[in-house]
Structures are given as C-alpha cells and as structure tokens.
Amino acid sequence: MTSASSPQLRRPGVLPVRPEHAGIEPYGAPQIDVPVLLNVNENPYPPGEAVVATLARDVAAAARGLNRYPDRDFLALREDLADYLATESGVRVAPQQLWAANGSNEVMLHLLQAFGGPGRTALSFAPTYSMYPEYARDTSTRWVTGRRADDFTLSPEAAAATVREQAPSVVLLASPNNPTGTALTPETVAAVCEAALEVPVPLEDGRTASAVVVVDEAYGEFRRAGTPSALELLESYPNLAVSRTMSKAFALAGARVGYLAAAPALVDALRVVRLPYHLSAVTQAVARAALAHSGELLAQVDALRAERDATVAWLRARRHRGAPLEVAPSDANFVLFGRFEDRRAVWQGLLDRGVLIRVVGPEGWLRVSIGTPQEMVAFKDALVEVAGL
Ligand SMILES: *Cc1c(COP(=O)(O)O)cnc(C)c1O
C-alpha cells in the first residue's frame, strides 16, 4: 500500500464545486407519499390499457435492437410530432422544424447552451418557472427578470421595453405561465419577437444577432377556448421557438419527453449542443406509441379544464378572514390562490390531512394542481377545515 492511499493521510475531501453551485440544494418539489398528490401539475389519470398495450409492444420491439445506438435524429418521432401539432393547433410545421429531448427542461437547457453563455443575458418575467434561472446559472448566462403586472399579465409595451433595455440573447416566456396559470396574448408574444428583431445583440465576432424568443407552452393543451397558441406566430418569426411537453396534458411525465417547434436554422443550432444519441430508443418508442394514441391520452383534458374552472369558481366564492380569496385566472391545469398570512401553515395543515399542494409564487399564495373530482373534494374539504373558509 502506498502512503498516498493510506486512509489516515486522507484529508477531508473538498470538491472543486463551482462557486455558483456552492451550498445550492437540487431543485425539486418534495416527493411525499400521501393519498392526494396535487403539487407538480401531473395529469391524475394514468394511461389507459390500450395505450399501455401499444407501449409494451413497441418497447419490446425496441428492446430487440438495443445493442445498436438509436436514431440520433429521431426522424420518425419528428414526423409524428409534426402531425400531432397540426391536429392540436392547426399549424403545420416540417419535421426539420422539430426538436425533442428528455423533457422540455432538457429542450430549454439546449436553448441556453446554444444561445446563452458568458457575456450574454437571458430574460424572463417574474413570477415564473423557477427552473429558468437554473438553466442560466448552469450555462454561465446572466439572468434578469422583468416584472409582470399585479394580476400576473404582461403588456406588449412593458415586455418590449424590457427587451430593448436588457438586450438579451434569449427570452423565456411561459404561456400559460407557471405558477400563475396566466396565458400571454399573441400581441405580447409578437411584441417581444419584434423587439428582439430590432435590438442588436452584439456577437463575439463583431457581428450582431437577434434574440431567440422561447414560448414555453408546457400547459398549452389546457388553454381556454379563444386563447391561441404561439405556434401561429412561427411563420412570421425566425427567432421564435415554441416548446411543448408530453408530461402534463399527455399524462406521460414519467417518460421524459419534451419538444419544440422553430425555424430549421434554429433547430440546427440545437443539434450542435445535444449529447450524441440523447434520446434513447426506448424513449423514442414510448413517445411514438403515445402519439399514436393521442386521442385517448388527451381525452381527460376537457374534464380537467372543466374541473379547473369549477375550482376557480369555488375558491372565488370563499372568504378568508373577512375578505374574498384571491384566485388567478388559469389557462393551465393548476390554480394559484391566496393570500394567506402563513401559507406554510395552510400547506402543512393540508398535508396533515393527506393532501399535498405546493408553496410557490409570491408571498401568501399557494398552488393546487387539478386532480380527479374525488381528489378535488378532498382538497376543498381539507382547505375549509384548515383555513376556516
Ligand atoms: C412542467 C413544466 C415543464 C415541463 O417539464 P418537462 O421537463 O417536460 O417534464 C416545462 N415548463 C414549465 C413551466 C412547467 O411547469
């Protein structure tokens, strides 16, 4: 044994952790095993037996070829995604306009890896999704936020002014927004895309570029009638990327599949930063099988939207300490409501009654995901007891 490896000479390990990661806890909502899980905006309805049968068959077929690397460019999946988007939103994009990864979180990390970096700025509008600053941090991109109005909306003028002021290389817009449920108007998205085209972002080689505008439509399928998708603006803006996920409406959070639609040149820039074969053959098979059953998988979306609207109405009719509850209008499968002097106590009271919701958003607010009718009854009963509504 050499002295270098003798245990008594080893000093307590200091790892070369990057300063921006020192003391940071990994992101994630508490995973607690209770009967009613309404904290991470999952779809409460598991895939049906017909979907499961196709998935099992197609995963078995993929398994027989797992000695080989998967199709690096997942062409068949891109075609299926293009067909799905055409059906869902009426917008037809070519397969080369699609990109996919292990959840839309990875899609957005690819965007920051491709278009962010040292000396560059990523911009969003708070309150919004708490993962965005993490993509910026992990790609050494400067992170700035503008503010949404008190009702969580964002006007075209305010949004465009912030883009002009900050000259970001990436703008992240969640619509419907998490945790507020607020959808942006097409006018606001267009104003941000226009401002991004006007404001020159200086490049390291002396040229200038336009910012990439990302509209994160993770909850797009839950939008209310009359709320358009930003996909409709793709044709007008070469700097726009619209991101979607199979985690929410598709009831496939466990499969980890997200994707985006954008101009082919933008997608090509993402191909540079992805790891080789990042989308496993199993993931591709699962995603394609699920897309073949999109009708069944999305069947519960209408029921969830109706339950969402009913939950908003029920909360609005309640009073807490003499004042009506505040409830943000929602185009998503969750509702932000408040305000409570001690929101953590309300959260804990619900948890003690077997109902897990989320402490997120501005001080005093809580977020509840929409579950089955029985789960929502459990939530309402518990809330009445805990908050004395
Ligand atoms: C849930 C969510 C996503 C989706 O994440 P996946 O990685 O696709 O599971 C993306 N954006 C927002 C704002 C979300 O709330």
Side-chain angles (χ1 to χ4, degrees), residues 43-358:
N43 192 316
Y45 300 103
E49 283 312 313
V51 184
V52 171
T54 305
L55 285 175
R57 184 198 66 196
D58 293 357
V59 169
R64 295 188 184 99
L66 283 180
N67 56 314
R68 303 291 177 194
Y69 282 111
D71 173 6
R72 209 167 35 213
D73 293 311
F74 44 97
L75 288 170
L77 173 58
R78 287 159 129 179
E79 280 173 24
D80 291 353
L81 287 168
D83 288 342
Y84 166 68
L85 285 182
T87 312
E88 199 274 334
S89 67
V91 178
R92 168 59 66 185
V93 297
Q96 329 62 289
Q97 291 183 262
L98 283 158
W99 184 246
N102 299 284
S104 53
N105 269 284
E106 189 180 48
V107 168
M108 289 185 280
L109 182 61
H110 285 164
L111 284 158
L112 269 285
Q113 288 176 322
F115 303 116
R120 295 170 172 216
T121 299
L123 166 70
S124 192
F125 294 87
T128 193
Y129 190 38
S130 39
M131 274 306 295
Y132 297 158
E134 303 215 1
Y135 316 142
R137 180 196 70 201
D138 295 346
T139 56
S140 303
T141 310
R142 176 178 161 256
W143 171 246
V144 291
T145 49
R147 295 292 311 169
R148 289 166 176 264
D150 287 346
D151 62 358
F152 308 128
T153 59
L154 181 61
S155 74
E157 297 75 24
T162 311
V163 171
R164 286 193 209 96
E165 201 177 287
Q166 299 292 346
S169 63
V170 180
V171 185
L172 291 161
L173 301 172
S175 178
N177 185 40
N178 182 5
T180 65
T182 324
L184 296 175
T185 63
E187 289 74 26
T188 294
V189 177
V192 170
C193 291
E194 293 286 346
L197 289 174
E198 279 164 33
V199 180
V201 180
L203 295 184
E204 294 71 8
D205 64 4
R207 292 177 306 150
T208 58
S210 305
V212 167
V213 178
V214 183
V215 180
D216 176 1
E217 291 192 349
Y219 302 96
E221 284 91 347
F222 296 104
R223 66 193 187 275
R224 288 172 290 181
T227 304
S229 164
L231 288 166
E232 295 183 21
L233 297 171
L234 271 182
E235 226 179 31
S236 315
Y237 297 108
N239 57 333
L240 173 63
V242 181
S243 151
R244 292 272 185 116
T245 182
M246 297 184 83
S247 295
K248 310 287 164 60
F250 255 99
L252 222 58
R256 312 303 303 126
V257 186
Y259 56 99
L260 67 66
L266 197 158
V267 170
D268 279 345
L270 302 179
R271 296 173 62 210
V272 175
V273 299
R274 59 111 179 92
L275 295 174
Y277 315 107
H278 69 291
L279 215 50
S280 84
V282 172
T283 303
Q284 293 184 43
V286 168
R288 295 194 65 209
L291 286 162
H293 285 269
S294 54
E296 289 143 79
L297 277 161
L298 295 170
Q300 319 289 354
V301 166
D302 281 342
L304 289 167
R305 290 155 92 211
E307 191 69 42
R308 181 244 351 253
D309 293 341
T311 303
V312 168
W314 182 87
L315 287 165
R316 286 221 168 108
R318 300 269 102 55
R319 299 177 74 81
H320 175 63
R321 302 202 172 151
L325 280 184
E326 290 177 66
V327 187
S330 177
D331 275 281
N333 66 337
F334 55 83
V335 181
L336 190 73
F337 65 100
R339 294 182 243 173
F340 301 102
E341 218 169 78
D342 186 351
R343 63 172 167 176
R344 190 153 278 281
V346 176
W347 176 84
Q348 184 64 53
L350 289 171
L351 183 57
D352 294 343
R353 287 159 182 78
V355 180
L356 180 61
I357 66 168
R358 188 86 180 263

